[in-house]
Amino acid sequence: MTEELFTEFSASRTPGPKDFPAGKMFILIQDPFGLWCSFHVSKTEAVEEPNLYEHLRGKTDRNNRDHWIHEHCKTVTAISGGNETEKFKKTLEAMARGDDGIIGAVLLDLRKEDGVYGSVNLLFKVNEGKSVFGDYHYKIVQLKRAGELKEHYAMQTSLMNKILADVQGCNPGSALFILKSKDQELDCIKALPRAEEYVSQWRAIRENTLLPEAKKPPKAALAPWRVYANKYVFAAKDLVLFPHLNAQMRKTLKEAGLNTYEDVYLAGLDKIKEILKEPLASEALAVETYAHALAYHKNMPVIREPSFWPPEHKKRNLYFDFEATETFTADSISFVYLIGVWDKEEDKFVYFVAKTEAEEEIIFKQFADYLGSEESAALYHWTEYEVKKMRSLCEKYPKIKPDLEKLISHCTDLKVTVEKSFYLPAPSLSLKAAAPAFGFNWRQDDCGAMDSMVYFTNWLKTGEFAQLEKVLMYNEDDCKAMLYMENYLKEHEALSL
């Protein structure tokens, strides 16, 4: 029977380019333009960007998964070695034996020339019902670290459940997701039609009958196509570069023959008001659209409201940024481990590091002491995160609540101030998008906000200061980027509408 099932569903072949790999559901949903690149752009344009954070998170996920499996299954088989077809055969053999759990089970259906294949975290034996293997059947269990059931999880799993049902002659109907803080059942039968629509979209992208829209730089696509996608979007002067336009608004502009920001600029403000109007958009949004087109066309900031700029400066001006850990396991704790400060008047970078959560209170006290009692001092940050974090810490650390409140009282959100004052030739007001528009560049390509957590963790484990230095350099650049933005907007001419 095992051999018969194997021959039928594998069609005596291995998966080919026309077969949909269910594991691609994430990239299909989250990064369809990157998927298009993988099919139709020269591989010489691909730039690998190792993601240390995802590697660490994946390792933690596997550890959590294995712990759950061995708690719930007496006999366990892990599928490994060989190609997908060979792994499918090993999966069938484990199912026929009646193993309680099958880790990394591979399921495929290649009976058509455009088949589907993929793997699941676990096939879990249910000792009821009847399948071709006996008085039991298997159900898919997916163990994920996410807090919620994500779309790509559901779509991938519903496809795998369809194959499982066909192979074992019994449809479990649902799959179980073990999430970070809850268990959740997925109705695979209900989700399947939507999953099949995604598969049709994948085939259209592969056949180049569908060109998906890229996302906004600096992450127009995921690695390895991020660098290419960023260049593509700017070279095309794509409408996705407008920070405030949604997909329907961009579609409406294109239907009116406006496919680039140059088209929008040349159309003029009155024409944009005619196209982007209620109920789709307000007049203010139409003005904002034209203003951004002007900013891109001239590669200059455009004044939105002059009364907010420049921010008031004091005798001491400090630009600061936090770095925090994330919880990788159930017993790990999130805390701010680094406060970095660029001291404008001293022209130096100052930092405060906490190795453990117990030291978090200490570094905030050190930060407050560095600010001192000087009333004529200003603290600048980018986005609301830092102030929200300090407000939450007031309850956590009541002893230093006065210090935290003092810090908060000196804060100015530069992002808010810039947003009120200017339209920028940038796809968003994230610091990573806005600062490069005026020539600022981070010194490292291999250390971002998420990877910095990994370098910090490595430093704690190894004691190698070079690991911490990468985090400090990244944080220092974040602080200096704020000052760079402020200085640029002060020193360079801005256009008026």
Side-chain angles (χ1 to χ4, degrees):
M1 177 189 61
T2 301
E3 194 63 40
E4 291 174 357
L5 288 171
F6 174 73
T7 300
E8 178 185 356
F9 284 89
S10 71
S12 301
R13 67 182 179 89
T14 57
K18 290 187 177 181
D19 300 308
F20 176 68
K24 291 291 185 182
M25 193 63 80
F26 170 80
I27 199 77
L28 172 60
I29 294 174
Q30 297 295 325
D31 186 25
F33 183 79
L35 178 64
W36 179 88
C37 290
S38 70
F39 287 123
H40 307 296
V41 176
S42 169
K43 297 298 184 285
T44 60
E45 294 284 356
V47 178
E48 295 295 337
E49 299 177 283
N51 192 321
L52 299 177
Y53 170 76
E54 288 297 331
H55 176 75
L56 177 60
R57 190 170 73 168
K59 182 178 179 181
T60 304
D61 288 350
R62 288 190 294 274
N63 292 340
N64 293 342
R65 178 199 68 186
D66 293 346
H67 178 75
W68 188 95
I69 290 171
H70 289 290
E71 269 195 351
H72 292 80
C73 303
K74 291 181 179 179
T75 57
V76 177
T77 295
I79 305 300
S80 62
N83 59 37
E84 297 303 290
T85 303
E86 291 166 339
K87 290 178 181 177
F88 174 57
K89 188 171 187 178
K90 294 177 182 178
T91 299
L92 290 175
E93 291 168 349
M95 294 173 75
R97 287 195 304 267
D99 291 351
D100 291 332
I102 307 171
I103 301 173
V106 170
L107 299 167
L108 52 78
D109 185 353
L110 307 181
R111 291 176 293 180
K112 298 178 181 178
E113 65 172 5
D114 51 353
V116 177
Y117 65 99
S119 64
V120 298
N121 290 159
L122 179 71
L123 286 183
F124 184 76
K125 183 182 178 183
V126 180
N127 290 307
E128 60 182 46
K130 189 173 181 63
S131 71
V132 296
F133 301 111
D135 293 330
Y136 62 88
H137 70 278
Y138 283 91
K139 177 175 181 171
I140 295 173
V141 177
Q142 301 280 42
L143 298 104
K144 304 297 181 182
R145 188 176 170 279
E148 299 294 332
L149 177 53
K150 297 182 179 180
E151 175 77 349
H152 66 275
Y153 295 161
M155 297 300 97
Q156 177 182 351
T157 303
S158 63
L159 291 174
M160 292 296 94
N161 184 76
K162 173 65 166 60
I163 300 174
L164 175 63
D166 290 346
V167 166
Q168 69 180 358
C170 174
N171 194 336
S174 66
L176 174 63
F177 280 80
I178 310 299
L179 302 171
K180 186 175 182 179
S181 57
K182 65 180 179 181
D183 298 350
Q184 184 173 339
E185 292 280 344
L186 168 70
D187 185 336
C188 295
I189 297 173
K190 183 178 180 180
L192 184 61
R194 195 162 77 252
E196 291 174 336
E197 290 178 9
Y198 278 118
V199 175
S200 297
Q201 181 180 338
W202 178 84
R203 300 194 193 287
I205 292 172
R206 185 197 67 196
E207 294 163 8
N208 208 15
T209 58
L210 172 64
L211 174 59
E213 189 175 59
K215 295 186 178 181
K216 298 182 189 300
K219 295 182 180 179
L222 300 175
W225 300 107
R226 185 185 69 85
V227 175
Y228 172 81
N230 289 341
K231 293 188 295 184
Y232 174 94
V233 168
F234 278 108
K237 302 178 180 180
D238 198 284
L239 297 182
V240 77
L241 290 169
F242 288 89
H244 57 288
L245 294 181
N246 61 33
Q248 184 57 51
M249 293 169 185
R250 293 192 294 271
K251 180 182 178 182
T252 300
L253 287 170
K254 289 176 181 178
E255 288 172 348
L258 308 182
N259 297 295
T260 69
Y261 64 68
E262 286 292 345
D263 293 338
V264 174
Y265 166 73
L266 293 172
L269 178 56
D270 290 341
K271 182 64 175 178
I272 301 306
K273 288 181 179 180
E274 290 178 13
I275 299 170
L276 296 178
K277 57 185 179 181
E278 298 286 359
L280 177 63
S282 65
E283 182 174 315
L285 188 138
V287 172
E288 186 171 354
T289 302
Y290 179 75
H292 277 289
L294 174 60
Y296 276 118
H297 175 73
K298 296 291 188 179
N299 195 29
M300 294 173 64
V302 175
I303 296 172
R304 184 194 294 257
E305 172 50 64
S307 64
F308 296 110
W309 193 260
E312 182 184 0
H313 263 228
K314 303 292 182 70
K315 290 181 181 179
R316 294 188 68 204
N317 299 278
L318 309 177
Y319 301 76
F320 73 100
D321 184 51
F322 297 164
E323 304 296 342
T325 63
E326 183 176 320
T327 55
F328 288 103
T329 60
D331 58 350
S332 62
I333 298 169
S334 176
F335 64 96
V336 174
Y337 68 85
L338 172 63
I339 302 172
V341 183
W342 182 261
D343 189 321
K344 179 181 179 181
E345 282 64 43
E346 295 293 329
D347 195 32
K348 68 178 182 181
F349 180 63
V350 180
Y351 61 88
F352 311 99
V353 177
K355 291 184 177 180
T356 65
E357 186 197 15
E359 296 179 357
E360 183 181 40
E361 182 177 10
I362 295 172
I363 65 171
F364 275 95
K365 176 62 175 172
Q366 291 171 337
F367 183 27
D369 289 345
Y370 186 78
L371 179 68
S373 59
E374 177 66 67
E375 287 302 315
S376 184
L379 291 173
Y380 300 97
H381 56 97
W382 197 272
T383 77
E384 63 183 355
Y385 169 75
E386 279 73 18
V387 167
K388 287 180 70 175
K389 172 58 69 173
M390 288 190 286
R391 286 195 176 119
S392 70
L393 293 179
C394 285
E395 295 183 12
K396 187 177 181 181
Y397 304 122
K399 288 183 179 180
I400 63 166
K401 182 177 179 181
D403 296 295
L404 292 166
E405 290 177 337
K406 179 182 74 172
L407 290 168
I408 293 169
S409 70
H410 286 77
C411 282
T412 296
D413 188 338
L414 269 180
K415 178 185 176 182
V416 171
T417 306
V418 170
E419 185 174 22
K420 288 180 178 179
S421 305
F422 299 101
Y423 304 101
L424 302 183
S428 78
L429 273 172
S430 80
L431 197 57
K432 300 300 188 300
F438 300 109
F440 185 88
N441 291 297
W442 276 253
R443 287 172 287 175
Q444 302 175 106
D445 294 326
D446 62 343
C447 186
M450 309 309 284
D451 287 335
S452 65
M453 293 185 227
V454 182
Y455 286 115
F456 172 71
T457 302
N458 290 344
W459 171 64
L460 293 178
K461 291 178 179 178
T462 66
E464 296 177 5
F465 188 68
Q467 299 285 328
L468 181 62
E469 277 187 314
K470 294 189 72 66
V471 183
L472 296 177
M473 183 183 294
Y474 168 73
N475 184 273
E476 179 182 346
D477 284 352
D478 274 358
C479 296
K480 292 169 77 173
M482 289 183 252
L483 177 57
Y484 182 94
M485 281 285 294
E486 181 185 318
N487 286 340
Y488 188 98
L489 293 170
K490 282 180 178 178
E491 296 166 5
H492 290 77
E493 181 185 359
L495 298 168
S496 298
L497 275 177

